[in-house]
Amino acid sequence: MTDAKRSALRHWLSDVRESRDHPHDAGIDPCGVHWQRHAEGVLELTPSGMDATATTSDAADGKSPSAAEQPSHRYDAVLSCGIHGDETAPIEIVDGILRDIADGKLTLRERVLVVLGNPDAVRAGKRYLEYDLNRLFQGAHAKRAESPAVQRARELEVIVAQFFAGVDGVRRQRRHVDMHTAIRASLFPRFAVVPGTPERPPRAAWFDALAAADIEATMRTEQPSVTFSYYTCARFGAESCTLELGKVAPFGENPLADFAGIDAALRRWLSGGDMAAREDGQVLQARRFRVAAEIVRRTDAFVLDVPADTPNFTAYPAGTVLARDGENTYTVSHPEERIVFPNPDVANGLRAGVMVVPE
Ligand SMILES: [Zn+2]
């Protein structure tokens, strides 16, 4: 189906919030962007002038757009939000970008998959319903009983795999930005978890791009994980990150000025510019950390000696005992370690905190 009048970009968020079902349709937005809806809340956008079904040889047929209109074709970009349903600021950022593309205020020049992760949880205003969606990727869904969250994780993995397979045989840079807001205070209110593998560590340019987006700290991790961003990094070699962008708030109550840096950076990138090149010319540096250890709760005897409301990145000196689990203890072994995502109440076998050290 092609509907040249209806703007899927303008209605992306309202369609989800009002649960208007438009399964698997496609069209060309009045702004010229080709869109394809793969599932609820999931839109693949192809810039005007870049035929969504073109083969490489089509590009040489003499009817290609002029250089000024040429999409940049550098990236296959995945932009995700709402993996946790109550983290509304990133959803509003993405909605604003889509509306500005629809209104012709922003020219899309990259192929992008826009993902609103958990529409059921967004409508319920909850982080998640029966299970945390961001613990179900990298095949983890296959190890759990069937449920809507398990189904959604599997569906998103299939769609992302098809998207990264490309449309015209051209291998583009793959990048995935997964946006969240945090449930606790943080000494660095905006920070990024940057996954990598020993074979493919993240490029320095990726950290520069995040710093230019007002991200104050990065934590690099090579720990295998079941998050969405680890999945796209490990499975597809994407330059990925999970962004934590300040505190959770309901729709309409987010201090959007706090998110201006990431909003501007995403717009620079998707419109064909350099995410790292700020309009004000400033060159910012984020504090860089790497994951040194994870504190895992093994038994019912587990005690984390860190209050639940401890801000992310709180530092502890060498020798501090942070957790006890029967005969085992976790003792800070580096001159200084900082704790991120402390959670004394996790189930046995799960992570009760992540310890980071400076890079
Ligand atoms: Zn989240």
Side-chain angles (χ1 to χ4, degrees):
M1 186 194 85
T2 296
D3 181 348
K5 294 193 181 66
R6 187 169 175 284
S7 171
L9 280 64
R10 278 201 128 274
H11 298 107
W12 169 77
L13 180 54
S14 53
D15 282 356
V16 166
R17 293 188 71 186
E18 289 156 34
S19 196
R20 284 195 293 258
D21 201 17
H22 304 279
H24 305 272
D25 52 352
I28 297 173
D29 224 64
C31 66
V33 169
H34 182 281
W35 54 268
Q36 190 172 0
R37 190 186 334 264
H38 294 287
E40 190 181 27
V42 183
L43 277 184
E44 177 180 339
L45 305 181
T46 308
S48 161
M50 175 181 163
D51 187 342
T53 58
T55 61
T56 314
S57 59
D58 287 343
D61 66 3
K63 288 183 250 165
S64 302
S66 70
E69 296 165 339
Q70 198 86 256
S72 92
H73 290 221
R74 299 168 309 162
Y75 286 94
D76 285 335
V78 176
L79 188 56
S80 58
C81 57
I83 295 288
H84 293 135
D86 59 346
E87 298 174 0
T88 59
I91 303 173
E92 291 184 316
I93 291 170
V94 174
D95 187 46
I97 289 173
L98 291 182
R99 284 167 175 272
D100 281 355
I101 294 170
D103 293 346
K105 294 178 189 160
L106 182 70
T107 304
L108 182 70
R109 291 198 177 86
E110 304 290 358
R111 182 171 173 261
V112 57
L113 186 72
V114 176
V115 177
L116 195 152
N118 195 337
D120 289 337
V122 169
R123 286 190 287 272
K126 294 207 156 83
R127 179 174 172 84
Y128 54 84
L129 299 181
E130 79 284 12
Y131 198 79
D132 188 338
L133 183 59
N134 214 25
R135 299 285 178 274
L136 286 173
F137 290 93
Q138 189 65 355
H141 52 78
K143 300 186 189 108
R144 299 202 69 86
E146 195 64 18
S147 75
V150 161
Q151 251 171 29
R152 184 64 167 177
R154 190 169 55 223
E155 176 177 64
L156 292 178
E157 285 196 354
V158 169
I159 294 169
V160 165
Q162 286 169 348
F163 175 76
F164 278 142
V167 288
D168 47 13
V170 178
R171 175 72 154 87
R172 300 181 186 84
Q173 176 83 31
R174 294 166 176 169
R175 183 181 277 176
H176 174 204
V177 176
D178 184 32
M179 292 192 284
H180 293 248
T181 50
I183 42 184
R184 70 179 63 252
S186 177
L187 299 184
F188 302 105
R190 292 179 299 272
F191 66 97
V193 181
V194 181
T197 59
E199 307 77 46
R200 187 190 281 269
R203 297 183 305 151
W206 186 214
F207 293 100
D208 294 341
L210 293 170
D214 281 349
I215 299 300
E216 298 153 288
T218 58
M219 47 187 277
R220 184 174 63 81
T221 176
E222 290 181 351
Q223 294 269 359
S225 167
V226 288
T227 63
F228 197 13
S229 69
Y230 181 81
Y231 167 70
T232 53
C233 169
R235 189 67 64 89
F236 306 104
E239 196 162 63
S240 301
C241 66
T242 303
L243 297 185
E244 299 285 355
L245 298 168
K247 293 283 288 260
V248 162
F251 277 116
E253 294 178 23
N254 290 300
L256 288 180
D258 290 358
F259 306 100
I262 182 65
D263 185 49
L266 293 174
R267 288 164 182 262
R268 283 196 296 277
W269 169 38
L270 297 177
S271 62
D274 182 357
M275 196 166 160
R278 291 169 60 97
E279 283 79 5
D280 61 11
Q282 276 187 284
V283 178
L284 303 180
Q285 297 289 330
R287 292 281 296 273
R288 286 187 51 180
F289 300 94
R290 67 175 172 83
V291 172
E294 291 191 335
I295 300 177
V296 176
R297 180 191 181 111
R298 299 283 176 206
T299 73
D300 290 342
F302 180 84
V303 179
L304 184 67
D305 289 328
V306 173
D309 58 356
T310 301
N312 282 325
F313 294 100
T314 297
Y316 299 92
T320 311
V321 177
L322 288 180
R324 287 165 284 126
D325 202 349
E327 297 191 342
N328 297 315
T329 57
Y330 183 86
T331 306
V332 173
S333 61
H334 298 80
E336 180 181 273
E337 297 180 13
R338 293 170 182 255
I339 194 163
V340 188
F341 306 129
N343 183 357
D345 301 321
V346 290
N348 292 349
L350 293 183
R351 183 183 87 184
V354 180
M355 302 310 297
V356 301
V357 296
E359 283 261 48

